[in-house]
Amino acid sequence: MWAGRVFRAALSGAPCGHRAQSALAQLRGILEEELEGIRGAGTWKSERVITSRQGPRIHVDGISGGPSTDTFAGPSWLSCCVRSPSSTSGILNFCANNYLGLSSHPEVIQAGLRALEEFGAGLSSVRFICGTQSIHKDLEAKIARFHQREDAILYPSCFDANAGLFEALLTPEDAVLSDELNHASIIDGIRLCKAHKYRYRHLDMADLEAKLQEAQKHRLRLVATDGAFSMDGDIAPLQEICCLASQYGALVFVDECHATGFLGATGRGTDELLGVMDQVTIINSTLGKALGGASGGYTTGPGSLVSLLRQRARPYLFSNSLPPAVVGCASKALDLLMESNAVIQSMAAKTQRFRSKMEAAGFTISGANHPICPVMLGDARLASCMADDMLKRGIFVIGFSYPVVPKGKARIRVQISAVHSEEDIDRCVEAFVEVGRLHGALP
């Protein structure tokens, strides 16, 4: 009590408002020092403002080039890959996750408008109170059918799906084994759970086996991996992972955000691509990339797991339900995908065209056979400056540097879309060669 009186007396000489201003000034100083360090390291990330819809050609604020005039030739699925011959204005966009070109597909847009008109702008509530509509249940059932799983649960994003899974499923009796280059959302989700944590070297099956041997003392063992790694464009060796999991009595979880819709014969993902759909227990993925490009994520797997997540997953219990327009767009995107898989072959050919031409020019492209094509440059400032000069030449790409990728491994990540033409790809390569020589990245 005496100490409290002394403390209040010490403070009485300075008005509360003055002390608050002093604390704010201290905070500003700390923040500015931190921000200046980011600028000095060449890792500052600027946001370019797009003033048109997403597509292969976009309009970027302050950059010459008219708005995108991309049009779709008809209502069929393949029409999304056909642009009007007049589509020559705007900036070529090579850094979106719009893998199938569905972000601006007219049928996807119309489905979103219908859902908006019928079900409203939003539910103003979480799912278990009064935030579940019939379209949410219909989309969850459609996702489960698509992945050939028992059930599915929607989240506001796949980041939320990853944040909700591990804490709800795993206890201190369990273990989770994670690839060291897994997406940040997987890493953060694993941090939230109380299970024993093992990290194995990227794609290193010998190290995974050693960790599985060490983890045999735990109740459940869950191997967690990205299906396709977003920064490097490489694909997890799921056949080997599933074989080891079977040998050591473990379960397999795969994040399919950069695979759903376009990898595998029918776009089911890396588990279909590698023939292990019946061996992967849990899949998390997104509606915000190939499946319409808006937002939303999901978990699909055993029905009992999905039921548990509805009871315990915090991002599900404490977040508003997905807006009806987003649900409508994603549902139509899935319908279009399941009508035809011809676009998958088109994407593979375009991806190979870009990779082979860039490697022939002298660039190092990470990964293999994936539309994520990281142009490895090493230096963060070089990646940023080259991306800026690419934009001046009408090509929208972004430099990636620490902390998004490890220090010394800066890159420009190029992403191929089904709606890019061969002429678009060739023009992008030509610009890279020109800018690469300008900055000394090529001889």
Side-chain angles (χ1 to χ4, degrees), residues 251-333:
L251 306 169
V252 178
F253 159 86
V254 182
D255 181 309
E256 290 284 66
C257 286
H258 290 275
T260 298
F262 57 93
L263 287 188
T266 61
R268 263 62 177 180
T270 53
D271 61 341
E272 180 185 49
L273 177 72
L274 299 173
V276 292
M277 289 186 73
D278 60 338
Q279 299 176 56
V280 173
T281 310
I282 307 165
I283 288 176
N284 279 8
S285 195
T286 182
L287 307 174
K289 293 180 173 58
L291 301 183
S295 63
Y298 58 85
T299 295
T300 185
S304 54
L305 169 64
V306 171
S307 295
L308 179 68
L309 294 175
R310 293 192 195 280
Q311 302 302 312
R312 290 186 179 172
R314 292 168 69 85
Y316 179 83
L317 291 171
F318 298 103
S319 297
N320 269 22
S321 54
L322 272 179
V326 172
V327 177
C329 288
S331 185
K332 175 53 69 172

Side-chain angles (χ1 to χ4, degrees), residues 422-436:
E422 291 184 352
E423 291 76 14
D424 294 339
I425 292 170
D426 293 347
R427 182 178 162 196
C428 181
V429 172
E430 290 167 4
F432 261 111
V433 171
E434 183 180 346
V435 171

Side-chain angles (χ1 to χ4, degrees), residues 50-124:
I50 299 172
T51 58
S52 62
R53 66 178 58 183
Q54 185 64 275
R57 292 177 183 269
I58 55 177
H59 188 211
V60 181
D61 188 36
I63 304 297
S64 60
S68 170
T69 57
D70 294 321
T71 58
F72 295 88
S76 70
W77 163 233
L78 286 178
S79 67
C80 77
C81 302
V82 181
R83 294 208 306 273
S84 164
S86 64
S87 302
T88 57
S89 60
I91 304 297
L92 277 173
N93 185 9
F94 274 92
C95 61
N97 297 314
N98 187 25
Y99 292 110
L100 299 178
L102 295 180
S103 296
S104 299
H105 194 289
E107 292 187 51
V108 171
I109 293 171
Q110 286 303 311
L113 290 173
R114 286 194 299 271
L116 180 65
E117 291 174 351
E118 183 176 355
F119 293 98
L123 277 299
S124 307

Side-chain angles (χ1 to χ4, degrees), residues 211-284:
K211 298 296 193 300
L212 280 167
Q213 290 171 347
E214 186 179 348
Q216 286 300 290
K217 55 183 176 285
H218 304 298
R219 184 187 66 164
L220 290 179
R221 293 160 297 283
L222 179 67
V223 180
T225 182
D226 277 311
F229 290 82
S230 61
M231 288 298 111
D232 294 280
D234 46 11
I235 296 172
L238 288 186
Q239 291 176 335
E240 292 88 341
I241 289 173
C242 289
C243 183
L244 286 171
S246 176
Q247 181 180 346
Y248 291 97
L251 306 169
V252 178
F253 159 86
V254 182
D255 181 309
E256 290 284 66
C257 286
H258 290 275
T260 298
F262 57 93
L263 287 188
T266 61
R268 263 62 177 180
T270 53
D271 61 341
E272 180 185 49
L273 177 72
L274 299 173
V276 292
M277 289 186 73
D278 60 338
Q279 299 176 56
V280 173
T281 310
I282 307 165
I283 288 176
N284 279 8

